[in-house]
Amino acid sequence: MEILALVLMGGMISTVLVRRSSRRGMGIELTWSQAVRVVASRGIAAVTAGFILGKLIGMGLSSGWLDFSLLKERFYVLIPLVMVCGMASLLAFQKLAQVFSGKKIDIWTTMKTAFIEGCYYVAFVTILSILMLILFALVEFWPRLTS
């Protein structure tokens, strides 16, 4: 049940961030339903790419073409695979932005928008962390200060 709550909360946060970043980065105004579809399709694209790459790695391991110790000891070998999943998500974002806006959007604009979205996310997490620290301090130290 907690997983479902986390997924829904993450989806809502991503929807807000996609709307703001697409307005600022691409100059398009997405509706709430369009932003939800963008978030869902980006997630589906990234997960599908991850499953396909995982299947290919599994086939490589079972055929002897890949060695498990290589993947275990040199984890940085997996960085390009993660980048492929991110690129699949980015291309899904670009395609849906083109469909929703009706105009041609190049990959650089999409990358700029994704960067803006990442900056919004970092700012959001920073503000949330500060608020949680303040709340923790109040809960922890308020009884000591008032007694």
Side-chain angles (χ1 to χ4, degrees):
M1 191 60 158
E2 294 87 13
I3 269 281
L4 182 62
L6 287 173
V7 168
L8 288 176
M9 183 65 92
M12 289 187 292
I13 292 168
S14 293
T15 301
V16 171
L17 295 179
V18 162
R19 285 194 74 209
R20 288 186 57 87
S21 63
S22 64
R23 185 180 323 126
R24 184 162 180 198
M26 293 181 186
I28 60 173
E29 184 73 33
L30 295 176
T31 64
W32 287 104
S33 65
Q34 289 172 337
V36 168
R37 285 190 281 180
V38 167
V39 168
S41 63
R42 284 174 65 180
I44 290 169
V47 168
T48 302
F51 278 126
I52 290 170
L53 291 172
K55 184 69 174 170
L56 291 174
I57 288 174
M59 288 171 35
L61 288 171
S62 64
S63 69
W65 186 71
L66 278 175
D67 187 21
F68 183 71
S69 63
L70 171 75
L71 299 176
K72 189 175 176 183
E73 294 170 3
R74 296 186 179 98
F75 62 90
Y76 54 84
V77 173
L78 299 175
I79 291 173
L81 302 177
V82 173
M83 291 176 68
V84 167
C85 295
M87 198 62 180
S89 171
L90 193 69
L91 292 175
F93 186 21
Q94 179 186 15
K95 179 64 179 165
L96 280 175
Q98 287 176 357
V99 168
F100 292 147
S101 69
K103 59 183 179 179
K104 181 80 170 137
I105 298 172
D106 63 346
I107 191 69
W108 295 112
T109 305
T110 308
M111 289 173 66
K112 180 178 89 171
T113 304
F115 179 76
I116 291 169
E117 183 182 348
C119 292
Y120 280 141
Y121 182 74
V122 168
F124 174 77
V125 168
T126 303
I127 291 168
L128 187 65
S129 297
I130 291 170
L131 290 175
M132 289 178 69
L133 282 171
I134 291 170
L135 180 66
F136 170 75
L138 285 174
V139 167
E140 185 67 27
F141 299 116
W142 188 257
R144 295 179 190 163
L145 294 174
T146 57
S147 60

